Amino acid sequence: MSVIKAEGVTFVYGQGTPFQKTALDDVSFEMREGEFVGLIGHTGSGKSTLVQLLNGLLRPTKGKILIDGNDIWQNPKKIRQVRFKVGLVFQYPEYQLFEETVAKDIAFGPKNMGLPEDEVEKRVQKAARFVGLREELMEASPFELSGGEKRRAAIAGVIAMDPDVLILDEPTAGLDPLGRDALLDQIVSYHKVRRNTVLLVSHTMEDIARIADRIIVMSKGKNVLFDDTRKVFSQGEELEKIGLQVPQITKIMMMLRKNGFPVDSSVLSVEQGFQEIISCLSSD
Amino acid sequence: MVRDITLGQYLPGSSFVHRMDARSKILLLTASVVFIFLCFHFASLLIMTGFTFLVLLGTRISLMKYLKSLRGVLLVIVVTGLFQIFYGSGEPLFEWYFLKVTMNGLVSAAFIVVRISILMMISATLTYTTSPTDLTDALEWLMKPLKLVRVPVNDIAMMMTIALRFIPVLLEETDKIMNAQKARGADMESGNLFKRIKALVPVLIPLFVSAFRRAGDLATAMECRCYDSGAVRTRMKVMRFGWRDLCALLICLTVYAAVLCCGRWLPSVF
Amino acid sequence: MASFIEVHHVYFRYDDEETPGEYVLQDADLVIQKGEFVSIVGHNGCGKSTLAKHFNSIFLPETGDVLVDGLNTKDDDQLFAIRQKVGLVLQNPDNQIVAGIVEEDVAFGCENIGLPSGEIRERVDRALKAVGMYDYRTHSPDKLSGGQKQRIAIAGVIAMEPECIVLDEPTAMLDPQGRMEVLRTITDLNRTLGITIVLITHYMEEAVLSDRVLVMDSGKVIREGTPREIFSQVEFLKKHRLNVPQATELIYRLKGCGWEVPDCVLNEEECVQALLTLLKQTKGKGDQVCQ
């Protein structure tokens, strides 16, 4: 069943001014309940505009965004309700922390929803556990945390609203390799428990390949591809044409295939690639 | 979007006025403003109005732009104009309750309206034709005498440069933070004044934190590039007075002389 | 080659009134040669950025010494000489651009050291051409991409004609396109102008480009070698919160199972070459499979 759906969405910045620019051009797609979707495209392809349209921060110039079948702009006064349903974690979200304690900051979203005190408390605890924030940090000032911890606290602030759709814009930007892997693993395990829809925007193809079920590819304001992860990355040449890369391991397999070796060129991880090579070596 | 605001409204170009030295523009503009206030006769006002339009033409910027610059002060112009109409002295042309309209009132209203309008438009030429950096440099030069009384002119100029550079950056940042808090359900569009001010806290705190972080980074970057606030800096762009500045000066002096002559030999309309 | 920067047993901690804090640098000891391209890798918090700020006297060692071209960074009289020799580019491109017009920002450093205006003009033009941003000289930095802004920051440093440029995670905030632009620019500066480059990063894909890699953890250099020597030690790197490109890891795993592959590959071309050789040689002899 589709949770969120875009129907012919067009968005123009600064309409009627000299800065007028079409950021999105007739984009349609739908995301199903419980799936993990990756969103890729280079800077300026319309990714950031799209995610802000999905949670009602921007209003489409043309077209509709539907959540559970209802147009989110049907009643503009209720647009805040949409933002609780579609949680959006911006790039470098640690820059939005402002409360005295981490716990209070995470509680900001749930409080805005008007939830009772004990429910807020429960959600804060749960969200902190999801992102792996240690108990003793909850009463610390968010400004005293390390970079990685701040990032987690900020993500927890959105998770605490318990959204049906969680959108993360480059959640691992600037983290070191291990921090990156750890945070992504946490997001994956959160998704496994909560079973909601997650949309992950990333420049790192290796990460997307590892965790997404399906991938939306954006280029010049249009969604040029939306398919299973394997199928998207098996079209390496198409992707390169619009200036995107495939994971290195996928590229290696494609090059082997070009040289006449019958390996599966849609592998997405080193582990899969390793197995592929081994089985190719053992067969004749 | 906040970030679409253009600062200083500089409109790049290569007209006569664009290519004048920023220092002469500031000085002559200031003098012209004074002379606009010295107009007490139809003839002198006509001269200054003509002069203003000559300057506007010299910028090769469409007249619409200048008319738009008046929009911001339209209310002021209308209110002062009305005020003048009803506060004139002499025989009333017609009366309505306590309001009297006199010939004198009408004339001075017209005077005021024209004066404010040309004042605004001629001032706009400075910001329209001079880049913020040129303005800063010119102001730094013009403030030089203040060094004698120990005003840190160089530091002030550096602060202005940095402010000009970072205002757009911080505006964009404000936009981002506001969106991030709205995404967490912050309500900034409804409620009474008190509620709205309170709703700004989640925006202002991160903004200040970010501004301090940036300031720290910038200080390091400036140190790395050998900045020393006490030292004498040289400049890549050297300001030079050219033939355009001389021409402008001569034109202005002629106009000012004409205005002074009117004041000397014509009776004031007031 | 002559040594250019020498770091001798440096200890450093941040001043904190209440708690003296832990040492961020503990016995950091290394040498950087003139004209070489070195990368310093390590996870966040290993002390690599703090070390970078020691190279041009932004920070001074608590104990130990840092020598730049023979000058001690603790010597106050040499401060500006040292900062002219070693330029530093920071992570966030927005926070290091001072002026509102590209060329004026590039001129900033030269203006500080009191060069005559004609020479500044020449140097600024040359620096902008070197980073490929000459066409943008009269633009405002606001409208440029992250990669372009970072190249402007680099140009500002080059205009001072330093012998060495230290870049502290210059690509961390950039998209892949911007990252490529910056890397191409610095490799170019090293090759054509012979400028010594110290690249601080946690992207191992970037370290591949350098002549020598220094691995840092807990405030000191724990291993150094050519990229090939360092990348072949996958377990060691993982232990220190780093990883290797997928190509390197794949070959490493095959090697671990006893297949005949090179000790280390650095990129996908080398990896494909190695795999092709292996596949051609051993096709059908797959009994030694290890899963």
Side-chain angles (χ1 to χ4, degrees), chain A residues 38-42 47 170 172 180 184 200-212 215-218 229 232-233 239-240 242-251 267-269, chain C residues 176 179 246:
Chain A
L39 173 56
I40 61 176
H42 52 78
K47 286 177 305 183
E170 292 272 357
T172 59
R180 217 149 62 205
L184 285 177
L200 178 81
V201 184
S202 179
H203 284 305
T204 318
M205 299 303 158
E206 283 77 8
D207 291 347
I208 292 263
R210 193 158 66 90
I211 59 184
I215 292 182
I216 307 176
V217 183
M218 300 280 304
T229 304
V232 167
F233 282 131
L239 290 177
E240 260 163 40
I242 55 176
L244 294 172
Q245 295 281 322
V246 295
Q248 198 177 39
I249 191 76
T250 316
K251 210 167 171 187
V267 303
L268 299 172
S269 66
Chain C
R179 190 175 301 163
Q246 290 184 324

Side-chain angles (χ1 to χ4, degrees), chain A residues 123-140:
Chain A
R123 287 196 174 194
V124 170
Q125 295 302 329
K126 217 166 142 192
R129 242 175 288 134
F130 270 133
V131 296
L133 272 182
R134 296 196 313 277
E135 188 66 41
E136 66 262 30
L137 291 179
M138 298 302 282
E139 292 310 311

Side-chain angles (χ1 to χ4, degrees), chain B residues 165 214 225 233-234 236, chain C residues 95 97 105 111-112 115:
Chain B
R165 158 84 183 94
R214 285 180 192 280
R225 289 162 76 184
R233 302 183 69 226
T234 49
M236 174 171 71
Chain C
N95 299 355
I97 295 179
D105 183 71
E111 293 178 337
N112 289 337
L115 295 175

